[in-house]
Amino acid sequence: MAAMVLAATRLLRGAGSWGRSRPRFGDPAYRRFSSGGAYPNIPLSSPLPGVPKPVFASVDGQEKFETKVTTLDNGLRVASQNKFGQFCTVGILINSGSRYEAKYLSGIAHFLEKLAFSSTDRFGSKDEILLTLEKHGGICDCQTSRDTTMYAVSADSKGLDTVVGLLADVVLHPRLTDEEIEMTRMAVQFELEDLNMRPDPEPLLTEMIHEAAYRENTVGLHRFCPVENIGKINREVLHSYLRNYYTPDRMVLAGVGVEHTQLVECARKYLLGTCPAWGTGAAVHVDRSVAQYTGGIVKLERDMSNVSLGPAPFPELTHIMIGLESCSFLEGDFIPFAVLNMMMGGGGSFSAGGPGKGMFTRLYLNVLNRHHWMYNATSYHHSYEDTGLLCIHASADPRQVREMVEIITREFVLMAGTVDVVELERAKTQLMSMLMMNLEARPVIFEDVGRQVLATRSRKLPHELCALIRDVKPEDIKRVASKMLRGKPAVAALGDLSELPTYEHVQTALASRDGRLPRAYRLFR
């Protein structure tokens, strides 16, 4: 033991042969290698002699980030946003979706989403399209919402001509063969089964709340194809819809990371004067209906005790979503509503926390932190060109549904109360932060450019939106919330609904001062 202590002491003090032979940190032998030796006396604050002077990028006062828009002779708009890099994102956005299916079989937009990038006049199969994109390092995607259909490709900028030609062929010249339609029927059937089986009920509840809020009109029509329509949709049905809604004046060709003049040239080459697969007849049955908010309730009684398989099954929950009409994204109150939605925030009962997770939002502080039995409380804001819907989704044990509904109605009523300056500033900062971080991604910039130009023929830039967010005052939040509370609620309920209050009671609670439900008296329990 004494020998070990002695050896350790010698090592620490630098004794012994190893310690004597190793130079200290301050010795010239070490300084010689750490300084590089070439320029021993040049400080880091001075340029090295003999090295060319670097040339840095400069800004001439007019930053080159504005969105350029050109309208072609056929009415198609071409929009581009400059962004440096090797790759670009280009796509076609169309004013088409489930809200326009009132005169058609419901589910056409869902079918078209699944049929996207299938065989065309120039490409014999989906594999040929993917191989063509692969040569330019490209990927493709199609998404449909209630009011917009979007075909997009990300690829090397050098392949812009090929990409635009491919997009034009996919959108205007699809073959829609019997085999492809049959495969799409199977894909739609599977997606509907998955929608009803998944533990996360949010997509189904969103569908239900829209159906309740806009009864049988526009954005209240089914986004997913009803089961009874799967076998009815065929090539003729699809062509009749495409003839009316896939017209140039309802389209925007958007690109990010491309030169505007080059994109316009490609648009003229492939999208001007071309005859689509369904012919050139004029659109005659275009639905220009304005969304009519009705309010109401949609209930789906279901056994939720076995939604999750596995050794640790998910607890049985009842899910409620309550919504009120807000405003369209074209109105001035859209920004205050966006801030209000961020101020409500919320999420699941489990969160890792950390900056930016919304742990100081109202639905966390007032709901999830105080009521341990609630599994979820989340605010959502859906906005369209003629209406909007602000809603709160909550989940709890079926025996506590009545108490959960009262907690949510109380939070709605408190929206029109006093707004703390600190929580408002936090919500505004978080909204601006999310906006700017999301717009770092090229596909997100593309979607933002395309959707704004499609709706307004121009684009508000991020710094303009941030200025509008900063201008929101507490009285703006109180004003829009008070206006919203004067409308009828929309309610969606899923699960065991034996304890669900009546729609009239929910409506009474939202119209009261404290958000409390009327007392329910029972002779038997």
Side-chain angles (χ1 to χ4, degrees), residues 304-517:
M304 304 289 285
S305 60
N306 58 352
V307 293
S308 177
L309 303 176
F314 207 71
E316 182 181 0
L317 299 175
T318 296
H319 304 275
I320 306 294
M321 192 176 275
I322 300 175
L324 290 165
E325 187 180 21
S326 58
C327 72
S328 85
F329 57 69
L330 300 176
E331 296 178 47
D333 284 342
F334 172 67
I335 297 295
F337 269 115
V339 174
L340 173 60
N341 177 58
M342 190 61 64
M343 194 169 74
M344 297 308 295
S349 58
F350 173 79
S351 173
K357 292 289 181 68
M359 303 301 287
F360 288 93
T361 57
R362 284 192 180 185
L363 292 181
Y364 263 113
L365 292 176
N366 301 344
V367 178
L368 293 170
N369 289 357
R370 295 184 182 180
H371 307 283
H372 64 88
W373 44 268
M374 285 190 65
Y375 279 78
N376 186 45
T378 310
S379 175
Y380 297 95
H381 188 214
H382 305 279
S383 197
Y384 306 96
E385 64 180 5
D386 51 3
T387 188
L389 190 65
L390 183 74
C391 43
I392 296 178
H393 166 213
S395 307
D397 187 277
R399 293 166 294 183
Q400 293 171 300
V401 168
R402 182 178 176 83
E403 191 177 352
M404 172 176 69
V405 170
E406 186 172 83
I407 289 167
I408 297 307
T409 55
R410 198 182 307 152
E411 286 303 314
F412 266 112
V413 171
L414 288 172
M415 289 180 190
T418 305
V419 179
D420 183 63
V421 176
V422 174
E423 71 170 342
L424 179 61
E425 288 302 318
R426 183 185 288 121
K428 286 156 61 174
T429 303
Q430 190 170 354
L431 182 60
M432 288 187 287
S433 172
M434 288 181 64
L435 174 71
M436 299 308 292
M437 284 192 291
N438 285 331
L439 288 173
E440 289 289 319
R442 189 181 62 251
V444 177
I445 301 173
F446 156 76
E447 188 172 348
D448 183 51
V449 169
R451 285 184 182 275
Q452 286 202 50
V453 173
L454 191 64
T456 66
R457 299 181 177 269
S458 62
R459 182 187 180 223
K460 274 193 172 72
L461 295 173
H463 71 270
E464 296 176 80
L465 293 172
C466 287
L468 293 172
I469 294 169
R470 288 191 197 96
D471 288 341
V472 175
K473 304 289 190 296
E475 50 268 28
D476 295 324
I477 300 295
K478 189 172 182 177
R479 175 177 52 79
V480 298
S482 300
K483 179 183 175 183
M484 178 179 68
L485 285 165
R486 289 196 289 268
K488 291 176 64 178
V491 181
L494 173 67
D496 181 350
L497 309 179
S498 55
E499 296 293 322
L500 179 70
T502 64
Y503 176 78
E504 290 73 22
H505 280 189
V506 174
Q507 193 171 0
T508 302
L510 288 169
S512 67
R513 290 186 176 183
D514 56 4
R516 292 187 179 277
L517 291 166

Side-chain angles (χ1 to χ4, degrees), residues 36-59:
Y39 305 101
N41 299 318
I42 306 295
L44 293 175
S45 57
S46 303
L48 295 175
V51 175
K53 187 178 179 180
V55 179
F56 297 102
S58 60
V59 178

Side-chain angles (χ1 to χ4, degrees), residues 153-176:
V153 171
S154 289
D156 194 302
S157 302
K158 295 176 182 176
L160 179 63
D161 186 83
T162 303
V163 166
V164 175
L166 186 147
L167 281 166
D169 218 41
V170 164
V171 173
L172 299 175
H173 304 103
R175 283 185 181 171
L176 305 178

